[in-house]
Amino acid sequence: MDTLPPVTLGTLLNGRVRYRQFCDGYRTGLEPVLMAACVPARAGQYVLEGGCGAGAGLLCLATRVRGVCGIGLECDSPTVLLGRMNVEDNGFDAIRILQATLPVIPDDSRLSGPGVRRIDHAFANPPWHDHASTPSPMSRRDRARRLPRAGLAQWVGSLSAQLRHHGTLTLAVPATLLDHAISSMGENRLGDVTVFPCWPRQGVAAKIVLIRGRMGSRTPARLLPGIVLHHADGAFTPEACAVLRDGQPLLD
């Protein structure tokens, strides 16, 4: 195996997931864990994560929904290797990490092989910062953080094209891209759009928004109350602890 940059070993979901990540560059935040809690997967279903990094979202989802089959797409080769190590370390034989640069979806037997349905649920925490913004000196961090504005629509298009009828696409995006994410879903026949704000504290504007759409649905959009993540003193609220530590779902 190729030599990897230095890594740290920690945990997610209050120790239920062993998780390695690189010491330098992009570090996993709350977004993948919150996003995974919004994916309405069931045992035996196929899920696909775009830009999966070292696998935090997939690992959290597979821990909450035992028996789910998962595919992660990641463009950075060292991160792909690290993600595969995390998958193996946690014993998830039904999860694979593939190297791919979205919006290109690789031709893989798990996506198109005999007896395999289209993907039941796709999800992604796309790069948030506009490509015109100041780049990070660390290439791995830069790829994880910056994307041209038009790139979000391309991600939505490529991931939604893999979905079965009434399959879902879940995104974690900054509130500043909410309008763009919703319009991109509509352009790709995703209805029943559910918007779920994540409030940093009570009375503070949401920075992270979770959005879920359903392929081919004509159900009107919904704006839900969302979740308050922190008390005024910075401690997690009980609702946040239920998701971030106990692995409870956010949406049905």
Side-chain angles (χ1 to χ4, degrees):
M1 180 177 291
D2 295 341
T3 302
L4 291 176
V7 301
T8 60
L9 174 60
T11 63
L12 301 169
L13 299 183
N14 201 29
R16 296 165 67 192
V17 175
R18 288 167 54 86
Y19 185 67
R20 292 180 178 87
Q21 56 184 322
F22 295 116
C23 296
D24 297 322
Y26 177 77
R27 301 282 292 179
T28 297
L30 302 181
E31 296 88 354
V33 187
L34 293 168
M35 176 179 60
C38 277
V39 179
R42 300 190 304 273
Q45 290 189 323
Y46 285 83
V47 301
L48 171 67
E49 182 178 8
C52 67
L58 275 170
L59 293 170
C60 288
L61 179 58
T63 299
R64 177 171 65 84
V65 185
R66 292 289 174 172
V68 74
C69 302
I71 302 167
L73 305 179
E74 171 56 43
C75 68
D76 181 67
S77 55
T79 306
V80 170
L81 293 176
L82 187 60
R84 290 171 178 170
M85 290 173 60
N86 283 332
V87 168
E88 182 178 359
D89 195 25
N90 286 277
F92 292 124
D93 297 335
I95 294 178
R96 295 182 62 197
I97 308 293
L98 308 178
Q99 186 164 2
T101 301
L102 288 175
V104 176
I105 301 289
D107 182 12
D108 182 77
S109 61
R110 286 288 294 274
L111 295 174
S112 57
V116 177
R117 306 181 304 276
R118 279 192 175 274
I119 297 298
D120 295 292
H121 307 285
F123 56 107
N125 176 26
W128 285 4
H129 296 279
D130 189 272
H131 202 268
S133 62
T134 302
S136 169
M138 296 182 181
S139 60
R140 184 179 301 108
R141 180 178 176 85
D142 194 55
R143 284 192 294 269
R145 290 170 58 87
R146 293 199 309 144
L147 184 75
R149 185 171 175 84
L152 178 58
Q154 294 174 336
W155 277 49
V156 172
S158 62
L159 291 172
S160 62
Q162 310 303 315
L163 293 172
R164 63 168 173 81
H165 182 61
H166 281 184
T168 69
L169 172 63
T170 301
L171 300 175
V173 298
T176 54
L177 291 181
L178 176 60
D179 58 339
H180 192 40
I182 291 175
S183 64
S184 297
M185 284 190 170
E187 291 167 2
N188 287 280
R189 300 189 299 112
L190 290 160
D192 189 18
V193 175
T194 302
V195 179
F196 192 89
C198 298
W199 315 104
R201 296 184 303 279
Q202 190 72 45
V204 177
K207 296 181 180 180
I208 303 168
V209 181
L210 302 168
I211 309 171
R212 191 175 76 191
R214 191 173 297 276
M215 177 56 66
S217 175
R218 296 185 178 182
T219 301
R222 297 179 293 158
L223 174 60
L224 299 185
I227 185 172
V228 178
L229 297 174
H230 300 278
H231 292 299
D233 63 1
F236 284 121
T237 63
E239 294 79 12
C241 286
V243 174
L244 300 174
R245 296 176 180 169
D246 301 334
Q248 295 299 308
L250 277 173
L251 297 173
D252 294 331

